Amino acid sequence: MTAWLRSHAHRLRTLDPDDDDDTDLEPLLGIVGDARVVAIGESMHRVHEFFALRHRVFRFLHRRAGFTALVTESGLPEGTRVDEWIRTGRGGLRDTLRDGVSYRFGACQEMLDQLTWMRERTAMGHSAPRWYGMDLPDSSASALPGILAALDVLDEADPHYAAHIRETLLPLFGYLPEDRTGLAQAAPSIRAYLALPAPDRAVITVGIADLAARIGARRREQIAALGDGAVAQQRVDVAIRAAESARAADAFLQAMTAGPTRTWPAANIRDAWMAETVEWVLQREPRIVVAAANGHVQRTPFSAPPFVPDPMTTMGGHLADRLGDDLVVIGTTFGGGEQWLHRPDPADLPGHSRPFVAPLASLDPSSLDAALERSGIDDAVIDLRTAPDAAAIALDATTGWHNGDVVQPGRARDAFDAVAFIRSVTPWRTWIDDRGLDRR
């Protein structure tokens, strides 16, 4: 396998998205082929090189292959704010990064650079790239942003019903913690939901279901109320999808309440929702790049014993069934480096935590990452589909691939069409003050 890797790995000359020489990315055109969806994974979040890789690949595919949109592991309703800034420049960029990108993934120079390039390209009159979030709202911690996004349209198109939602449904979210500015704000938000009495959760579920059903059933009336035309149709369709995101988030949270006592296998509601959203985006865009964790884009079931003992169908698994050859999945691997993490301190308020940088543990010697590291190749993309028999046997003998320090078990050739190997990874360039960053 080593000889094949050294001769067939497509070396990445640079990871700098601003480098104008993209000849080293030409092999991507053969890997992608005619696929409408290219999914790019991340072995772990908050890694500078993975951000840079997906930015560079998206630029290349946008300019050279007609890919029009970047679809990210971030809340769908919040993402409309990001796309609005890219198209119009309205709203501050820092506010957009903070409020439009979930999981605090906007708190870095890499994301700022990505959005700035998309905005500059649009403002200069070139083909305008679009941005979509595909994930559950509010970092998967509540349904509230989906409801608020639907109300942006209902206030104009169905004002009496909008007033009803504001009077009856919105107050039910008073359980959310007042301070939601911390890096780990999702945790106390979810704990607050789980602490609600079952009848209170049921009232929220019924209210969200009514909202989602009504806004979908009245699509034609709402478009007419907004003045017809393509803009009105787009606004209504996004509002309908936002309401559906609220319903999916509520189902995701409701499933947690049964977790300690259920005797049936878990259902991956979040990944099913993301797959459906990718299909929704494909109704609007000819070709798209999807960016998310390896554990979401992989075709094979996700498991991480002992934390996730039951294999669960991923977004990539759903999309593979539905899209066939229209999907190409590129995973990421690494040879070592440092990771950016955060953890609470006893003195911290709920939802707040402190960042630190730690070296990655030694690679599992039986993993794909270790096999690639031992081969001696530099940063590269490897098309796993072209492996000859001997190399394929060696690839299949690896036990899995790293998600951070943990190995995700599986056969890489079943999970990914190709993998990018980054020899050494470093933390993202965060806006959080790094001067006192703890380095372990």
Side-chain angles (χ1 to χ4, degrees):
M1 179 173 68
T2 295
W4 173 75
L5 285 171
R6 290 178 175 173
S7 61
H8 287 80
H10 304 295
R11 182 176 178 272
L12 294 169
R13 186 183 55 81
T14 181
L15 293 174
D16 182 2
D18 290 325
D19 192 299
D20 292 331
D21 181 2
D22 56 14
T23 54
D24 59 317
L25 295 180
E26 291 288 337
L28 275 176
L29 298 177
I31 293 172
V32 169
D34 296 326
R36 294 186 64 201
V37 179
V38 172
I40 301 179
E42 294 179 335
S43 303
M44 53 195 149
H45 293 310
R46 304 179 179 91
V47 171
H48 169 75
E49 288 75 15
F50 295 156
F51 270 108
L53 174 67
R54 83 178 192 193
H55 185 181
R56 189 165 185 247
V57 167
F58 179 70
R59 284 195 189 192
F60 176 78
L61 293 178
H62 178 70
R63 291 191 301 247
R64 294 289 306 280
F67 282 74
T68 58
L70 179 63
V71 184
T72 65
E73 185 182 341
S74 184
L76 176 136
E78 295 95 328
T80 59
R81 175 169 185 158
V82 180
D83 189 64
E84 173 76 6
W85 184 84
I86 291 168
R87 288 186 295 108
T88 68
R90 287 196 289 268
L93 174 54
R94 295 294 180 94
D95 290 342
T96 299
L97 287 164
R98 184 189 65 240
D99 299 330
V101 184
S102 299
Y103 305 103
R104 298 294 189 265
F105 291 159
C108 63
Q109 181 68 42
E110 294 87 349
M111 189 67 80
L112 183 147
D113 291 343
Q114 173 86 69
L115 267 58
T116 299
W117 177 83
M118 295 172 78
R119 171 63 191 147
E120 288 175 348
R121 188 163 180 85
T122 303
M124 289 166 50
H126 298 303
S127 55
R130 302 296 299 269
W131 169 285
Y132 294 87
M134 63 178 172
D135 209 337
L136 299 174
D138 201 15
S139 303
S140 300
S142 86
L144 184 58
I147 298 168
L148 294 174
L151 283 171
D152 284 344
V153 165
L154 291 175
D155 284 336
E156 296 179 52
D158 199 351
H160 293 296
Y161 182 69
H164 166 73
I165 291 297
R166 290 187 179 280
E167 293 168 5
T168 62
L169 184 55
L170 286 189
L172 301 178
F173 288 87
Y175 73 86
L176 289 171
E178 183 175 347
D179 177 11
R180 308 190 70 220
T181 61
L183 285 167
Q185 65 84 19
S189 296
I190 292 172
R191 284 197 295 268
Y193 173 84
L194 296 176
L196 289 173
D200 291 356
R201 296 196 305 267
V203 172
I204 293 174
T205 297
V206 170
I208 292 173
D210 180 73
L211 167 66
R214 178 180 172 87
I215 195 172
R218 286 181 53 82
R219 178 177 181 272
R220 294 186 68 185
E221 292 93 332
Q222 288 156 177
I223 292 172
L226 295 179
D228 286 316
V231 173
Q233 178 176 320
Q234 178 180 337
R235 287 187 64 198
V236 170
D237 285 345
V238 170
I240 291 171
R241 193 66 189 162
E244 290 292 344
S245 80
R247 179 150 58 181
D250 183 71
F252 176 77
L253 293 168
Q254 280 280 15
M256 292 186 187
T257 66
T261 59
R262 64 176 167 80
T263 57
W264 53 90
N268 195 346
I269 294 171
R270 183 181 169 206
D271 276 56
W273 158 262
M274 289 196 286
E276 291 167 6
T277 303
V278 168
E279 291 189 286
W280 180 82
V281 174
L282 278 178
Q283 297 172 13
R284 291 151 178 80
E285 307 291 342
R287 306 184 84 182
I288 64 176
V289 172
V290 174
N294 278 352
H296 294 305
V297 304
Q298 66 189 58
R299 284 187 168 90
T300 50
F302 177 82
S303 63
F307 307 107
V308 184
D310 300 324
M312 298 192 298
T313 301
T314 61
M315 173 186 68
H318 288 295
L319 291 176
D321 291 343
R322 301 168 191 176
L323 299 181
D325 292 340
D326 264 339
L327 172 69
V328 166
V329 182
I330 303 173
T332 55
T333 56
F334 60 88
E338 293 183 322
Q339 56 186 328
W340 190 98
L341 303 167
H342 61 99
R343 63 184 167 213
D345 184 270
D348 290 338
L349 296 172
H352 289 262
S353 58
R354 304 186 184 195
F356 65 98
V357 169
L360 285 157
S362 298
L363 296 173
D364 184 313
S366 65
S367 68
L368 174 67
D369 304 71
L372 297 176
E373 194 276 335
R374 287 193 298 267
S375 74
I377 62 173
D378 294 321
D379 296 352
V381 176
I382 304 105
D383 188 344
L384 301 180
R385 300 167 301 186
T386 65
D389 289 346
I393 291 171
L395 285 168
D396 293 346
T398 60
T399 57
W401 49 94
H402 273 265
N403 284 330
D405 289 333
V406 179
V407 173
Q408 162 68 49
R411 283 200 345 169
R413 292 195 309 133
D414 294 335
F416 309 113
D417 298 295
V419 292
F421 173 70
I422 306 300
R423 179 154 286 279
S424 182
V425 296
T426 58
W428 65 352
R429 308 328 188 218
T430 174
W431 297 125
I432 297 170
D433 188 352
D434 283 347
R435 286 173 296 181
L437 197 61
D438 186 9
R439 291 183 177 270
R440 298 286 166 139

